[in-house]
Amino acid sequence: MTLFKRAKAAQSAPSAPTNQASLAELALFTIHDGVIITDAAGTIRYINPAALSMLDLKSVNNAIGFDYAILLKIETKEGRELPDAENLLYQAMRTSQPLDGYQASLIVGSSGKRLPIAISVIPAAANNRIITFRNITRELAEEGEQTEFISTASHEMRTPVASIEGYLSLALNPQTATIDERAQGYLESAHAAAKHLGHLFQDLLDTTKLDDGRIRPQFVPVELVGLVKQIADSFIVAANQAGLKYQFGARDNSPAAPAHHLDQVVYGFVDVNFMREIISNLVENAIKYTPEGGAIYVNVRGDGDRALINVTDTGIGISADDISHIFQKFYRADNSDTRTVGGTGLGLYLVKQRVEAMGGRVWAESGFGEGSTFFVSLPRLTSAEYEKRMIAVRNANMVKQGGLQ
Ligand code: ADP
């Protein structure tokens, strides 16, 4: 009997099974989530009807004994090819690490159909792995509607908030208004709150722009050491005003700090505006969360086929509980050190979103009270690839200017 027939039989059986194993089997037959069980080598040992249906397979014989990667082919949510190094499903299966709700696009059979899915991997007994995946088409559509609502609402509210902020500034300016001392205190609080609201709407607008496809990365070949240095250096004054030492290049006492680092060239293919937003957010955070007398170090280096940027500070650090959440929307670590520092909790979400749109990865290493390092890893170009892309850009520019026909 095929799995489908057994599932039907199980569903329509007049007397429902009562022993635990049969009930578990009934659940696996009936749920809408795809379930695949593989051995340590990734060979499929079990597949449930929902998985067969999502993979467009006629029978279990087309799956059992096959390598999971042949059937579960994925690309990024945006439809970009996923090299093994960035494919978290591949990494989880290889290393037997758990994976939770990884969003990707499933390439269904040979039809070329794409299905948005969220995949989890659970390492199980005897080196087996349980892969579950579910169709998230509806969730994404709802998210899209939410994004559109947030974007329109923030856009509409930004103008009146800017006007409130402007009038409060006028009220607080002795050349344009006269107020008594008590009113001054109230208006200062109102002004700070209006400014915070303005930042919140601006951050919300910025994050939704990429979610709803209003902006797409405009990739250009660049030399990353120079670009990151230029962006990070623009915060020297702010860092010094906050009583912090700032240094570009590896940390003085770091063993991985050969003197030639500053001379190294690291090529990348990135969106320059995204890079500006990413580096600015990370350096601004380093300044915000480092008490006077501390230091900030920014560095870029080549690491095989990746470019690795780090923004390190000697500040308040992030606890182990918080570190897994800080890249989520609106998440702010809540402790006596962060409570006094203004913020919206959207900066790191925006950083992650921008980094991933360029095929990169961002993560933090820290401990509470130990300072923090934020790493951004991006695909790196060899100098030959960089030259090739530069020539393409130059040619395109010449065509635009009418130089080449
Ligand atoms: P915020 O606007 O609150 O700074 P972010 O999304 O940029 O929002 O950061 C989220 C949270 O991560 C912050 O509220 C803070 O708790 C923590 N965080 C970010 N950067 C640092 C850092 N360099 N040092 C310590 N904590 C940080």
Side-chain angles (χ1 to χ4, degrees), residues 10 17-18 40-41 46 61 77 86 100 133 140 148 152 176 225 276 281 297 308 336 344:
T18 49
Y46 172 83
N61 298 331
K77 274 193 296 183
E86 288 171 39
D100 186 20
F133 54 106
L140 290 186
E148 198 188 324
T152 316
T176 44
V225 181
R276 199 172 298 286
N281 262 296
Y297 306 91
L308 192 64
S336 53
T344 60

Side-chain angles (χ1 to χ4, degrees), residues 6-290:
R6 283 168 69 189
K8 279 240 145 50
Q11 276 170 336
S12 57
S15 57
T18 49
N19 75 56
Q20 292 296 305
S22 310
L23 285 170
E25 199 179 14
L26 176 66
L28 282 170
F29 279 168
T30 330
I31 55 171
H32 295 297
D33 290 9
V35 179
I36 288 176
I37 303 179
T38 76
D39 60 16
T43 307
I44 299 177
R45 318 301 305 236
Y46 172 83
I47 183 162
N48 77 339
L52 281 178
S53 157
M54 276 192 265
L55 294 169
D56 212 9
L57 295 173
K58 300 270 173 305
S59 109
V60 288
N61 298 331
N62 303 121
I64 305 289
F66 285 81
D67 190 291
Y68 84 92
I70 297 176
L71 300 180
L72 213 54
K73 281 194 293 246
I74 55 169
E75 54 187 18
T76 66
K77 274 193 296 183
E78 296 78 23
R80 203 169 39 77
E81 207 183 305
L82 255 178
D84 288 347
E86 288 171 39
N87 184 333
L88 298 191
L89 170 63
Y90 171 80
Q91 296 298 343
M93 290 297 283
R94 194 176 60 85
T95 56
S96 195
Q97 290 294 314
L99 179 70
D100 186 20
Y102 172 50
Q103 295 194 355
S105 180
L106 176 68
I107 306 170
V108 183
S110 51
S111 67
K113 200 175 97 186
R114 302 294 195 266
L115 192 68
I117 54 168
I119 317 168
S120 300
V121 175
I122 308 157
N127 248 329
N128 288 314
R129 286 118 164 90
I130 301 173
I131 308 174
T132 64
F133 54 106
R134 66 193 162 79
N135 182 342
I136 53 168
T137 309
R138 196 172 335 145
E139 269 169 60
L140 290 186
E142 280 169 8
E143 248 176 52
E145 281 167 24
Q146 256 182 31
T147 304
E148 198 188 324
F149 172 75
I150 294 172
S151 151
T152 316
S154 330
H155 187 78
E156 292 302 318
M157 289 190 251
R158 214 172 34 151
T159 317
V161 167
S163 150
I164 295 171
E165 202 189 315
Y167 281 114
L168 288 170
S169 296
L170 285 176
L172 283 165
N173 184 344
Q175 283 170 353
T176 44
T178 316
I179 46 171
D180 69 27
E181 225 168 80
R182 238 166 28 146
Q184 166 116 9
Y186 297 149
L187 290 184
E188 272 168 4
S189 300
H191 190 225
K195 263 168 83 174
H196 178 77
L197 211 54
H199 280 303
L200 188 63
F201 289 141
Q202 188 56 51
D203 284 358
L204 274 171
L205 260 179
D206 288 345
T207 53
T208 52
K209 267 188 207 154
L210 191 65
D211 278 339
D212 67 11
R214 253 176 313 140
I215 54 164
R216 284 184 188 287
Q218 305 293 319
F219 289 102
V220 287
V222 288
E223 197 287 301
L224 285 168
V225 181
L227 176 69
V228 173
K229 182 172 188 317
Q230 188 201 22
I231 302 168
D233 281 0
S234 67
F235 290 92
I236 293 177
V237 175
N240 291 343
Q241 274 170 356
L244 304 171
K245 177 182 151 188
Y246 164 89
Q247 184 183 310
F248 186 86
R251 231 170 136 152
D252 305 335
N253 59 356
S254 157
H260 67 264
H261 258 161
L262 271 175
D263 306 328
Q264 203 186 359
V265 283
V266 180
Y267 296 115
F269 195 51
V270 295
D271 180 305
V272 172
N273 285 329
F274 282 13
M275 290 303 293
R276 199 172 298 286
E277 290 175 301
I278 293 163
I279 304 301
S280 302
N281 262 296
L282 295 179
V283 177
E284 273 167 356
N285 275 352
I287 296 174
K288 266 186 355 188
Y289 297 108
T290 305

